[in-house]
Amino acid sequence: MFRSNMMDFAAEEQVFYPDISFSIRANVRDTRIYDWAGIDYEGFWATEAEQLHWYRPWDKVLDWQPPFAQWFVGGKINACYNCVDRHLSSWRRNKAAIIFEGELGDQQVLTYQDLYREVTKFANVLRGLGVKKGDLVSIYMPMIPQAVVAMLACARIGAPHSVVFGGFSAEALRDRINDAGAKVVVTADGCWRRGKAIPLKQNVDIALTQCPSVEKVVVVERTRSEVYMEPGRDLWYHELMQQAPIGCEPEVMDAEDILFILYTSGTTGKPKGIVHTTGGYLTGVTSTHRNLFDLKEDDVYWCTADIGWITGHSYIVYGPLANGATVLLFEGAPDYPARDRFWEIIEKYRVTIFYTAPTAIRLFMKWGEVWPNGRDLSSLRVLGSVGEPINPEAWLWYHKHIGREKCPIVDTWWQTETGMVMVAPLPGITPTKPGSATVSLPGVAVDVVDELGNPVEAGHSGYLVIKKPWPAMLRTVYKDPQRYVDQYWSRFPGLYFTGDGARRDKDGYIWVSGRVDDVINVSGHRIGTAEVESALVEHPAVAEAAVIGRYHELKGQAVSAFITLREGVAWAPELEKDLKAHVAKKIGGLARPEEIICAWELPKTRSGKIMRRLLKDIAEGRVLGDISTLADPTVIHQLMNKKSAF
Ligand code: WTA
């Protein structure tokens, strides 16, 4: 939970109205869109779907057998065709689809025609490797154009992709490949990070010692570092592409065929494969991308998310490309070679729409406005925020120093599961309040309810739920429909539970406070506490572990671990280092605990349940709540003494 978001009531009263000069040219100008879409949401989404190319129209907009939805039933469509081929019959053929900026300053522009050539060639490569409709392909890649090409090639031949974030460890990759049962893995030798070549293929090699389903690995040459190539299994991308023909007939897909699965953390140790299908997903992301960012033909759109997260899927690849946008893709870090790299890129390419995360904005604030002030940011016209609650201070800084007080800010609330943005302002018509994602988008029904599932009154807090199905909603959890039902549809009968807490203000605006379940949001990345706990207890020194997310000024939340040791093991600074490295090895650097606190016992209730709420209070230095249910209250004093060490 982001504290200042909850405390800063003064900022809540500050309202920013859309500028008239922006509004009169905006894609969405008429506030009645909310009413119209509210009354006939199926009709609204059908109109949005009509903007795409369908091989066969749907028979029925929505088939809702709670909690299982099918959208555009009977419709036939191909996502890749919509993102690429559709643009070739107009002048857009020669429009830049992707402008790539590498970490070392190298650049590459792919027009839609270029994209068509690369994608169809790679689709032929995949088919040549035996990938058929319905076969899964895992993608473990840096932020380079070939990652987009690989995703679109999969979509073209009807092979669902499972992109695994390049920051995940070999073991995390292994588990995701095995759960998906991937036949082919697409990867790169490495990627550039702050001027250094980071290996990726090595992780694939380790993972594949335990992945029986994988037959072939395609390796893109990026860093030219030396890599091991397993004969008969590993193939170079550039060699395969040399021989591949241009042009590849797209598979005619059912609207409800799987487009991709994407793993995300949940409340148990095992990541969930979130399933997204084709027609509804593409409708949702294309429509929201066009309306939210007020996309115009000559915009240069830049989303700084990684391709390995849902934001990369929906708002770097599918939404923008289906809209025929020019998308900027950046491989690297914001502070290499200097702390103005982002602003340098905006100046260099005259970026007009910029979409980033609050954690990045807080970092820029810390570095100071001297960095953006030194660059020409006058091309910017719309700013976006995603991934976690944006605190009003960061919102105002973003508005002033990046938007130069003339760009609307769209704070977009959504999840891997929702596939598309759900709560956000429409920049031409919705007044904004710093720190609030405002209200549900047209055709979307998000609400805040109490324990019993009844809407809360103005000024009250509760749980964030979704009341009606939406086209880009997850369809199920891969191979685990029961988990889908239990996780999302059991807490409140008939309502989708997001796992987030929120408050509704007197104007009906929604203020999301953060997760209320066992999921931590570190710099906008979701991490399950159970995943980190199970990694810790796998270490021979650890007996018990409890992990919580604590407030962190820059990251929003940080992973804080409390452990007890096995008999005979002594606590030492080296062990703490070792345990942190162990978690990074098991999951990835993003899950590395900020601190590990060793105790002789963890605070438990008399029935043996670890009291995480107390641990959170301790980690955040708050006055402790009720400790009367503790089996042994003296444990608390010991923990509080330990805490003073960080
Ligand atoms: C949080 C990222 C407040 C929220 C697209 C959600 C936000 C989780 C916002 C999903 C926002 C995302 N305001 N909180 N604008 N955007 N969140 O699946 O807790 O990586 O449940 O999807 O991030 O994270 P995920």
PDB file of all heavy atoms in Angstrom, residues 5 264 309-311 355 358 385-390 411-417 423 437 498-500 512-515 521 524-526, ligand 1:
ATOM      1  N   ASN A   5      -0.424   8.024  -0.576  1.00  0.00           N
ATOM      2  CA  ASN A   5      -1.643   8.032  -1.363  1.00  0.00           C
ATOM      3  C   ASN A   5      -2.874   8.117  -0.469  1.00  0.00           C
ATOM      4  O   ASN A   5      -3.896   8.691  -0.807  1.00  0.00           O
ATOM      5  CB  ASN A   5      -1.690   6.737  -2.164  1.00  0.00           C
ATOM      6  CG  ASN A   5      -2.528   6.873  -3.402  1.00  0.00           C
ATOM      7  OD1 ASN A   5      -2.930   7.964  -3.748  1.00  0.00           O
ATOM      8  ND2 ASN A   5      -2.779   5.768  -4.039  1.00  0.00           N
ATOM      9  N   THR A 264       1.962 -15.096 -13.967  1.00  0.00           N
ATOM     10  CA  THR A 264       2.010 -14.020 -12.988  1.00  0.00           C
ATOM     11  C   THR A 264       1.930 -14.622 -11.597  1.00  0.00           C
ATOM     12  O   THR A 264       1.487 -15.751 -11.430  1.00  0.00           O
ATOM     13  CB  THR A 264       0.891 -12.991 -13.224  1.00  0.00           C
ATOM     14  OG1 THR A 264       1.121 -11.861 -12.376  1.00  0.00           O
ATOM     15  CG2 THR A 264      -0.485 -13.543 -12.917  1.00  0.00           C
ATOM     16  N   TRP A 309       6.165  -8.392 -19.531  1.00  0.00           N
ATOM     17  CA  TRP A 309       5.012  -8.148 -18.665  1.00  0.00           C
ATOM     18  C   TRP A 309       3.783  -7.877 -19.517  1.00  0.00           C
ATOM     19  O   TRP A 309       3.892  -7.574 -20.703  1.00  0.00           O
ATOM     20  CB  TRP A 309       5.256  -6.947 -17.745  1.00  0.00           C
ATOM     21  CG  TRP A 309       6.519  -7.035 -16.967  1.00  0.00           C
ATOM     22  CD1 TRP A 309       7.628  -6.255 -17.100  1.00  0.00           C
ATOM     23  CD2 TRP A 309       6.832  -7.969 -15.922  1.00  0.00           C
ATOM     24  NE1 TRP A 309       8.598  -6.633 -16.208  1.00  0.00           N
ATOM     25  CE2 TRP A 309       8.140  -7.692 -15.480  1.00  0.00           C
ATOM     26  CE3 TRP A 309       6.124  -9.024 -15.321  1.00  0.00           C
ATOM     27  CZ2 TRP A 309       8.758  -8.415 -14.461  1.00  0.00           C
ATOM     28  CZ3 TRP A 309       6.741  -9.744 -14.311  1.00  0.00           C
ATOM     29  CH2 TRP A 309       8.032  -9.437 -13.891  1.00  0.00           C
ATOM     30  N   ILE A 310       2.630  -7.862 -18.891  1.00  0.00           N
ATOM     31  CA  ILE A 310       1.392  -7.661 -19.652  1.00  0.00           C
ATOM     32  C   ILE A 310       1.394  -6.285 -20.329  1.00  0.00           C
ATOM     33  O   ILE A 310       0.873  -6.139 -21.443  1.00  0.00           O
ATOM     34  CB  ILE A 310       0.130  -7.848 -18.759  1.00  0.00           C
ATOM     35  CG1 ILE A 310      -1.142  -7.898 -19.598  1.00  0.00           C
ATOM     36  CG2 ILE A 310       0.032  -6.765 -17.700  1.00  0.00           C
ATOM     37  CD1 ILE A 310      -1.321  -9.082 -20.479  1.00  0.00           C
ATOM     38  N   THR A 311       1.990  -5.285 -19.686  1.00  0.00           N
ATOM     39  CA  THR A 311       1.997  -3.953 -20.296  1.00  0.00           C
ATOM     40  C   THR A 311       2.721  -3.996 -21.643  1.00  0.00           C
ATOM     41  O   THR A 311       2.286  -3.360 -22.610  1.00  0.00           O
ATOM     42  CB  THR A 311       2.652  -2.924 -19.356  1.00  0.00           C
ATOM     43  OG1 THR A 311       2.006  -3.032 -18.077  1.00  0.00           O
ATOM     44  CG2 THR A 311       2.486  -1.509 -19.857  1.00  0.00           C
ATOM     45  N   TYR A 355       4.593   6.498 -21.709  1.00  0.00           N
ATOM     46  CA  TYR A 355       3.858   5.668 -20.739  1.00  0.00           C
ATOM     47  C   TYR A 355       4.878   4.963 -19.853  1.00  0.00           C
ATOM     48  O   TYR A 355       5.671   4.159 -20.345  1.00  0.00           O
ATOM     49  CB  TYR A 355       3.044   4.650 -21.550  1.00  0.00           C
ATOM     50  CG  TYR A 355       1.992   3.839 -20.815  1.00  0.00           C
ATOM     51  CD1 TYR A 355       1.374   4.284 -19.660  1.00  0.00           C
ATOM     52  CD2 TYR A 355       1.577   2.606 -21.337  1.00  0.00           C
ATOM     53  CE1 TYR A 355       0.393   3.518 -19.047  1.00  0.00           C
ATOM     54  CE2 TYR A 355       0.589   1.843 -20.737  1.00  0.00           C
ATOM     55  CZ  TYR A 355       0.007   2.305 -19.587  1.00  0.00           C
ATOM     56  OH  TYR A 355      -0.975   1.551 -18.978  1.00  0.00           O
ATOM     57  N   PRO A 358       5.185   4.566 -11.883  1.00  0.00           N
ATOM     58  CA  PRO A 358       5.472   5.474 -10.759  1.00  0.00           C
ATOM     59  C   PRO A 358       6.858   5.265 -10.156  1.00  0.00           C
ATOM     60  O   PRO A 358       7.511   6.236  -9.762  1.00  0.00           O
ATOM     61  CB  PRO A 358       4.387   5.138  -9.739  1.00  0.00           C
ATOM     62  CG  PRO A 358       3.249   4.618 -10.552  1.00  0.00           C
ATOM     63  CD  PRO A 358       3.888   3.886 -11.708  1.00  0.00           C
ATOM     64  N   SER A 385       0.710   6.438 -16.752  1.00  0.00           N
ATOM     65  CA  SER A 385       1.332   5.805 -15.590  1.00  0.00           C
ATOM     66  C   SER A 385       0.666   4.451 -15.370  1.00  0.00           C
ATOM     67  O   SER A 385      -0.541   4.319 -15.539  1.00  0.00           O
ATOM     68  CB  SER A 385       1.134   6.706 -14.370  1.00  0.00           C
ATOM     69  OG  SER A 385       1.518   6.041 -13.186  1.00  0.00           O
ATOM     70  N   VAL A 386       1.456   3.464 -14.983  1.00  0.00           N
ATOM     71  CA  VAL A 386       0.908   2.122 -14.771  1.00  0.00           C
ATOM     72  C   VAL A 386       1.763   1.306 -13.817  1.00  0.00           C
ATOM     73  O   VAL A 386       2.949   1.532 -13.706  1.00  0.00           O
ATOM     74  CB  VAL A 386       0.813   1.334 -16.110  1.00  0.00           C
ATOM     75  CG1 VAL A 386       2.162   1.146 -16.767  1.00  0.00           C
ATOM     76  CG2 VAL A 386       0.140  -0.032 -15.918  1.00  0.00           C
ATOM     77  N   GLY A 387       1.129   0.366 -13.145  1.00  0.00           N
ATOM     78  CA  GLY A 387       1.863  -0.646 -12.399  1.00  0.00           C
ATOM     79  C   GLY A 387       1.639  -0.614 -10.911  1.00  0.00           C
ATOM     80  O   GLY A 387       1.762  -1.621 -10.233  1.00  0.00           O
ATOM     81  N   GLU A 388       1.328   0.548 -10.372  1.00  0.00           N
ATOM     82  CA  GLU A 388       1.121   0.670  -8.932  1.00  0.00           C
ATOM     83  C   GLU A 388       0.466   2.029  -8.690  1.00  0.00           C
ATOM     84  O   GLU A 388       0.416   2.868  -9.603  1.00  0.00           O
ATOM     85  CB  GLU A 388       2.456   0.587  -8.197  1.00  0.00           C
ATOM     86  CG  GLU A 388       3.406   1.629  -8.699  1.00  0.00           C
ATOM     87  CD  GLU A 388       4.763   1.610  -8.029  1.00  0.00           C
ATOM     88  OE1 GLU A 388       4.808   1.624  -6.799  1.00  0.00           O
ATOM     89  OE2 GLU A 388       5.747   1.648  -8.763  1.00  0.00           O
ATOM     90  N   PRO A 389      -0.030   2.239  -7.490  1.00  0.00           N
ATOM     91  CA  PRO A 389      -0.624   3.547  -7.218  1.00  0.00           C
ATOM     92  C   PRO A 389       0.432   4.630  -7.389  1.00  0.00           C
ATOM     93  O   PRO A 389       1.572   4.458  -6.976  1.00  0.00           O
ATOM     94  CB  PRO A 389      -1.047   3.442  -5.748  1.00  0.00           C
ATOM     95  CG  PRO A 389      -1.123   1.978  -5.459  1.00  0.00           C
ATOM     96  CD  PRO A 389      -0.094   1.336  -6.334  1.00  0.00           C
ATOM     97  N   ILE A 390       0.048   5.723  -8.026  1.00  0.00           N
ATOM     98  CA  ILE A 390       1.001   6.837  -8.142  1.00  0.00           C
ATOM     99  C   ILE A 390       0.674   7.829  -7.024  1.00  0.00           C
ATOM    100  O   ILE A 390      -0.470   8.266  -6.881  1.00  0.00           O
ATOM    101  CB  ILE A 390       0.979   7.495  -9.541  1.00  0.00           C
ATOM    102  CG1 ILE A 390       1.977   8.659  -9.610  1.00  0.00           C
ATOM    103  CG2 ILE A 390      -0.406   7.931  -9.997  1.00  0.00           C
ATOM    104  CD1 ILE A 390       2.302   9.121 -11.028  1.00  0.00           C
ATOM    105  N   ASP A 411      -3.540   7.919 -15.568  1.00  0.00           N
ATOM    106  CA  ASP A 411      -3.121   6.906 -14.596  1.00  0.00           C
ATOM    107  C   ASP A 411      -4.008   5.703 -14.867  1.00  0.00           C
ATOM    108  O   ASP A 411      -5.228   5.776 -14.729  1.00  0.00           O
ATOM    109  CB  ASP A 411      -3.330   7.462 -13.178  1.00  0.00           C
ATOM    110  CG  ASP A 411      -3.068   6.420 -12.096  1.00  0.00           C
ATOM    111  OD1 ASP A 411      -2.555   5.330 -12.414  1.00  0.00           O
ATOM    112  OD2 ASP A 411      -3.394   6.702 -10.922  1.00  0.00           O
ATOM    113  N   THR A 412      -3.386   4.597 -15.269  1.00  0.00           N
ATOM    114  CA  THR A 412      -4.172   3.456 -15.765  1.00  0.00           C
ATOM    115  C   THR A 412      -4.120   2.290 -14.788  1.00  0.00           C
ATOM    116  O   THR A 412      -3.056   1.719 -14.552  1.00  0.00           O
ATOM    117  CB  THR A 412      -3.614   2.996 -17.121  1.00  0.00           C
ATOM    118  OG1 THR A 412      -2.254   2.561 -16.946  1.00  0.00           O
ATOM    119  CG2 THR A 412      -3.643   4.124 -18.148  1.00  0.00           C
ATOM    120  N   TRP A 413      -5.260   1.933 -14.224  1.00  0.00           N
ATOM    121  CA  TRP A 413      -5.304   0.751 -13.347  1.00  0.00           C
ATOM    122  C   TRP A 413      -5.738  -0.469 -14.156  1.00  0.00           C
ATOM    123  O   TRP A 413      -6.777  -0.435 -14.833  1.00  0.00           O
ATOM    124  CB  TRP A 413      -6.289   0.934 -12.177  1.00  0.00           C
ATOM    125  CG  TRP A 413      -6.309  -0.336 -11.353  1.00  0.00           C
ATOM    126  CD1 TRP A 413      -5.508  -0.633 -10.303  1.00  0.00           C
ATOM    127  CD2 TRP A 413      -7.117  -1.499 -11.590  1.00  0.00           C
ATOM    128  NE1 TRP A 413      -5.751  -1.915  -9.867  1.00  0.00           N
ATOM    129  CE2 TRP A 413      -6.731  -2.465 -10.638  1.00  0.00           C
ATOM    130  CE3 TRP A 413      -8.107  -1.833 -12.520  1.00  0.00           C
ATOM    131  CZ2 TRP A 413      -7.311  -3.741 -10.574  1.00  0.00           C
ATOM    132  CZ3 TRP A 413      -8.685  -3.098 -12.468  1.00  0.00           C
ATOM    133  CH2 TRP A 413      -8.285  -4.030 -11.488  1.00  0.00           C
ATOM    134  N   TRP A 414      -4.968  -1.525 -14.034  1.00  0.00           N
ATOM    135  CA  TRP A 414      -5.345  -2.806 -14.644  1.00  0.00           C
ATOM    136  C   TRP A 414      -4.413  -3.888 -14.169  1.00  0.00           C
ATOM    137  O   TRP A 414      -3.555  -3.642 -13.322  1.00  0.00           O
ATOM    138  CB  TRP A 414      -5.392  -2.702 -16.172  1.00  0.00           C
ATOM    139  CG  TRP A 414      -4.124  -2.285 -16.863  1.00  0.00           C
ATOM    140  CD1 TRP A 414      -3.469  -1.096 -16.711  1.00  0.00           C
ATOM    141  CD2 TRP A 414      -3.370  -3.045 -17.810  1.00  0.00           C
ATOM    142  NE1 TRP A 414      -2.371  -1.071 -17.521  1.00  0.00           N
ATOM    143  CE2 TRP A 414      -2.280  -2.246 -18.206  1.00  0.00           C
ATOM    144  CE3 TRP A 414      -3.519  -4.307 -18.381  1.00  0.00           C
ATOM    145  CZ2 TRP A 414      -1.328  -2.686 -19.136  1.00  0.00           C
ATOM    146  CZ3 TRP A 414      -2.588  -4.734 -19.302  1.00  0.00           C
ATOM    147  CH2 TRP A 414      -1.511  -3.934 -19.672  1.00  0.00           C
ATOM    148  N   GLN A 415      -4.567  -5.101 -14.699  1.00  0.00           N
ATOM    149  CA  GLN A 415      -3.787  -6.253 -14.235  1.00  0.00           C
ATOM    150  C   GLN A 415      -3.478  -7.196 -15.399  1.00  0.00           C
ATOM    151  O   GLN A 415      -4.155  -7.139 -16.428  1.00  0.00           O
ATOM    152  CB  GLN A 415      -4.610  -7.086 -13.242  1.00  0.00           C
ATOM    153  CG  GLN A 415      -5.244  -6.326 -12.125  1.00  0.00           C
ATOM    154  CD  GLN A 415      -6.047  -7.242 -11.220  1.00  0.00           C
ATOM    155  OE1 GLN A 415      -7.019  -7.852 -11.658  1.00  0.00           O
ATOM    156  NE2 GLN A 415      -5.658  -7.329  -9.966  1.00  0.00           N
ATOM    157  N   THR A 416      -2.543  -8.095 -15.174  1.00  0.00           N
ATOM    158  CA  THR A 416      -2.270  -9.157 -16.152  1.00  0.00           C
ATOM    159  C   THR A 416      -3.590  -9.838 -16.519  1.00  0.00           C
ATOM    160  O   THR A 416      -3.853 -10.147 -17.678  1.00  0.00           O
ATOM    161  CB  THR A 416      -1.311 -10.204 -15.525  1.00  0.00           C
ATOM    162  OG1 THR A 416      -0.146  -9.525 -15.065  1.00  0.00           O
ATOM    163  CG2 THR A 416      -0.917 -11.265 -16.537  1.00  0.00           C
ATOM    164  N   GLU A 417      -4.407 -10.053 -15.524  1.00  0.00           N
ATOM    165  CA  GLU A 417      -5.667 -10.776 -15.715  1.00  0.00           C
ATOM    166  C   GLU A 417      -6.685  -9.988 -16.532  1.00  0.00           C
ATOM    167  O   GLU A 417      -7.474 -10.574 -17.266  1.00  0.00           O
ATOM    168  CB  GLU A 417      -6.299 -11.097 -14.351  1.00  0.00           C
ATOM    169  CG  GLU A 417      -5.551 -12.115 -13.507  1.00  0.00           C
ATOM    170  CD  GLU A 417      -4.452 -11.493 -12.641  1.00  0.00           C
ATOM    171  OE1 GLU A 417      -4.030 -10.345 -12.928  1.00  0.00           O
ATOM    172  OE2 GLU A 417      -4.005 -12.161 -11.700  1.00  0.00           O
ATOM    173  N   VAL A 423      -9.531   1.061 -15.349  1.00  0.00           N
ATOM    174  CA  VAL A 423      -9.866   2.329 -14.700  1.00  0.00           C
ATOM    175  C   VAL A 423      -8.822   3.348 -15.126  1.00  0.00           C
ATOM    176  O   VAL A 423      -7.624   3.132 -14.920  1.00  0.00           O
ATOM    177  CB  VAL A 423      -9.844   2.200 -13.160  1.00  0.00           C
ATOM    178  CG1 VAL A 423     -10.229   3.523 -12.501  1.00  0.00           C
ATOM    179  CG2 VAL A 423     -10.748   1.077 -12.691  1.00  0.00           C
ATOM    180  N   ALA A 437      -6.883   6.908 -10.245  1.00  0.00           N
ATOM    181  CA  ALA A 437      -6.997   6.463 -11.647  1.00  0.00           C
ATOM    182  C   ALA A 437      -8.365   6.868 -12.209  1.00  0.00           C
ATOM    183  O   ALA A 437      -8.725   6.469 -13.308  1.00  0.00           O
ATOM    184  CB  ALA A 437      -6.762   4.961 -11.751  1.00  0.00           C
ATOM    185  N   THR A 498     -10.274  -8.443  -7.572  1.00  0.00           N
ATOM    186  CA  THR A 498      -8.987  -8.049  -8.148  1.00  0.00           C
ATOM    187  C   THR A 498      -7.801  -8.329  -7.235  1.00  0.00           C
ATOM    188  O   THR A 498      -6.669  -8.358  -7.695  1.00  0.00           O
ATOM    189  CB  THR A 498      -8.987  -6.535  -8.409  1.00  0.00           C
ATOM    190  OG1 THR A 498      -9.131  -5.872  -7.133  1.00  0.00           O
ATOM    191  CG2 THR A 498     -10.121  -6.118  -9.332  1.00  0.00           C
ATOM    192  N   GLY A 499      -8.073  -8.464  -5.924  1.00  0.00           N
ATOM    193  CA  GLY A 499      -6.970  -8.576  -4.961  1.00  0.00           C
ATOM    194  C   GLY A 499      -6.505  -7.222  -4.464  1.00  0.00           C
ATOM    195  O   GLY A 499      -5.615  -7.133  -3.630  1.00  0.00           O
ATOM    196  N   ASP A 500      -7.111  -6.143  -4.962  1.00  0.00           N
ATOM    197  CA  ASP A 500      -6.720  -4.786  -4.565  1.00  0.00           C
ATOM    198  C   ASP A 500      -7.741  -4.168  -3.604  1.00  0.00           C
ATOM    199  O   ASP A 500      -8.930  -4.482  -3.659  1.00  0.00           O
ATOM    200  CB  ASP A 500      -6.641  -3.864  -5.791  1.00  0.00           C
ATOM    201  CG  ASP A 500      -5.340  -4.032  -6.557  1.00  0.00           C
ATOM    202  OD1 ASP A 500      -4.428  -4.710  -6.042  1.00  0.00           O
ATOM    203  OD2 ASP A 500      -5.234  -3.492  -7.662  1.00  0.00           O
ATOM    204  N   VAL A 512      -7.054   3.514  -5.761  1.00  0.00           N
ATOM    205  CA  VAL A 512      -6.548   2.170  -5.474  1.00  0.00           C
ATOM    206  C   VAL A 512      -5.392   2.293  -4.494  1.00  0.00           C
ATOM    207  O   VAL A 512      -4.477   3.103  -4.700  1.00  0.00           O
ATOM    208  CB  VAL A 512      -6.071   1.465  -6.772  1.00  0.00           C
ATOM    209  CG1 VAL A 512      -5.516   0.083  -6.461  1.00  0.00           C
ATOM    210  CG2 VAL A 512      -7.216   1.362  -7.775  1.00  0.00           C
ATOM    211  N   SER A 513      -5.447   1.497  -3.406  1.00  0.00           N
ATOM    212  CA  SER A 513      -4.386   1.616  -2.406  1.00  0.00           C
ATOM    213  C   SER A 513      -3.321   0.538  -2.572  1.00  0.00           C
ATOM    214  O   SER A 513      -2.218   0.677  -2.070  1.00  0.00           O
ATOM    215  CB  SER A 513      -4.987   1.542  -1.008  1.00  0.00           C
ATOM    216  OG  SER A 513      -5.770   0.379  -0.892  1.00  0.00           O
ATOM    217  N   GLY A 514      -3.639  -0.555  -3.259  1.00  0.00           N
ATOM    218  CA  GLY A 514      -2.645  -1.622  -3.438  1.00  0.00           C
ATOM    219  C   GLY A 514      -3.240  -2.965  -3.082  1.00  0.00           C
ATOM    220  O   GLY A 514      -4.429  -3.076  -2.769  1.00  0.00           O
ATOM    221  N   ARG A 515      -2.393  -3.984  -3.081  1.00  0.00           N
ATOM    222  CA  ARG A 515      -2.871  -5.359  -2.880  1.00  0.00           C
ATOM    223  C   ARG A 515      -3.330  -5.570  -1.439  1.00  0.00           C
ATOM    224  O   ARG A 515      -2.723  -5.046  -0.503  1.00  0.00           O
ATOM    225  CB  ARG A 515      -1.747  -6.351  -3.182  1.00  0.00           C
ATOM    226  CG  ARG A 515      -1.117  -6.204  -4.533  1.00  0.00           C
ATOM    227  CD  ARG A 515      -1.984  -6.612  -5.674  1.00  0.00           C
ATOM    228  NE  ARG A 515      -2.485  -7.953  -5.592  1.00  0.00           N
ATOM    229  CZ  ARG A 515      -3.028  -8.599  -6.631  1.00  0.00           C
ATOM    230  NH1 ARG A 515      -3.108  -8.010  -7.826  1.00  0.00           N
ATOM    231  NH2 ARG A 515      -3.498  -9.809  -6.485  1.00  0.00           N
ATOM    232  N   ASN A 521       4.050  -5.729  -4.592  1.00  0.00           N
ATOM    233  CA  ASN A 521       4.278  -4.996  -5.831  1.00  0.00           C
ATOM    234  C   ASN A 521       5.586  -4.208  -5.690  1.00  0.00           C
ATOM    235  O   ASN A 521       5.628  -3.138  -5.112  1.00  0.00           O
ATOM    236  CB  ASN A 521       3.086  -4.061  -6.076  1.00  0.00           C
ATOM    237  CG  ASN A 521       3.117  -3.445  -7.448  1.00  0.00           C
ATOM    238  OD1 ASN A 521       4.179  -3.258  -8.026  1.00  0.00           O
ATOM    239  ND2 ASN A 521       1.949  -3.133  -7.976  1.00  0.00           N
ATOM    240  N   GLY A 524       6.446  -2.062  -9.408  1.00  0.00           N
ATOM    241  CA  GLY A 524       5.464  -2.435 -10.424  1.00  0.00           C
ATOM    242  C   GLY A 524       5.529  -3.899 -10.832  1.00  0.00           C
ATOM    243  O   GLY A 524       4.780  -4.328 -11.702  1.00  0.00           O
ATOM    244  N   HIS A 525       6.418  -4.691 -10.217  1.00  0.00           N
ATOM    245  CA  HIS A 525       6.483  -6.118 -10.540  1.00  0.00           C
ATOM    246  C   HIS A 525       5.802  -6.926  -9.455  1.00  0.00           C
ATOM    247  O   HIS A 525       6.058  -6.732  -8.271  1.00  0.00           O
ATOM    248  CB  HIS A 525       7.936  -6.595 -10.657  1.00  0.00           C
ATOM    249  CG  HIS A 525       8.738  -5.835 -11.654  1.00  0.00           C
ATOM    250  ND1 HIS A 525       8.201  -5.348 -12.816  1.00  0.00           N
ATOM    251  CD2 HIS A 525      10.034  -5.465 -11.659  1.00  0.00           C
ATOM    252  CE1 HIS A 525       9.130  -4.719 -13.501  1.00  0.00           C
ATOM    253  NE2 HIS A 525      10.248  -4.758 -12.816  1.00  0.00           N
ATOM    254  N   ARG A 526       4.975  -7.848  -9.881  1.00  0.00           N
ATOM    255  CA  ARG A 526       4.236  -8.659  -8.908  1.00  0.00           C
ATOM    256  C   ARG A 526       5.064  -9.827  -8.414  1.00  0.00           C
ATOM    257  O   ARG A 526       5.581 -10.600  -9.193  1.00  0.00           O
ATOM    258  CB  ARG A 526       2.972  -9.197  -9.566  1.00  0.00           C
ATOM    259  CG  ARG A 526       1.814  -8.300  -9.386  1.00  0.00           C
ATOM    260  CD  ARG A 526       0.730  -8.692 -10.311  1.00  0.00           C
ATOM    261  NE  ARG A 526       0.057  -9.916  -9.871  1.00  0.00           N
ATOM    262  CZ  ARG A 526      -1.093 -10.296 -10.403  1.00  0.00           C
ATOM    263  NH1 ARG A 526      -1.658  -9.611 -11.352  1.00  0.00           N
ATOM    264  NH2 ARG A 526      -1.677 -11.390  -9.977  1.00  0.00           N
TER     265      ARG A 526
HETATM  266  C1  WTA B   1      -1.267  -2.690  -9.326  1.00  0.00           C
HETATM  267  C2  WTA B   1       0.158  -4.409 -14.408  1.00  0.00           C
HETATM  268  C3  WTA B   1      -2.799   1.406  -8.656  1.00  0.00           C
HETATM  269  C4  WTA B   1      -2.506  -3.305  -8.710  1.00  0.00           C
HETATM  270  C5  WTA B   1      -0.668  -3.700 -15.481  1.00  0.00           C
HETATM  271  C6  WTA B   1      -2.807  -4.469  -9.625  1.00  0.00           C
HETATM  272  C7  WTA B   1      -2.039  -0.364  -9.892  1.00  0.00           C
HETATM  273  C8  WTA B   1      -1.428  -4.942  -9.998  1.00  0.00           C
HETATM  274  C9  WTA B   1      -2.113   0.417 -11.071  1.00  0.00           C
HETATM  275  C10 WTA B   1      -1.389  -5.635 -11.321  1.00  0.00           C
HETATM  276  C11 WTA B   1      -2.547   1.782 -10.953  1.00  0.00           C
HETATM  277  C12 WTA B   1      -1.423  -1.584 -11.577  1.00  0.00           C
HETATM  278  N1  WTA B   1      -2.888   2.217  -9.726  1.00  0.00           N
HETATM  279  N2  WTA B   1      -2.380   0.142  -8.706  1.00  0.00           N
HETATM  280  N3  WTA B   1      -2.615   2.605 -11.998  1.00  0.00           N
HETATM  281  N4  WTA B   1      -1.720  -0.374 -12.100  1.00  0.00           N
HETATM  282  N5  WTA B   1      -1.585  -1.592 -10.247  1.00  0.00           N
HETATM  283  O1  WTA B   1      -0.580  -7.873 -13.186  1.00  0.00           O
HETATM  284  O2  WTA B   1      -2.189  -3.751  -7.410  1.00  0.00           O
HETATM  285  O3  WTA B   1       1.683  -6.722 -13.206  1.00  0.00           O
HETATM  286  O4  WTA B   1      -3.561  -5.486  -9.006  1.00  0.00           O
HETATM  287  O5  WTA B   1      -0.373  -5.651 -14.170  1.00  0.00           O
HETATM  288  O6  WTA B   1      -0.637  -3.750 -10.040  1.00  0.00           O
HETATM  289  O7  WTA B   1      -0.078  -5.928 -11.696  1.00  0.00           O
HETATM  290  P1  WTA B   1       0.207  -6.622 -13.082  1.00  0.00           P
END
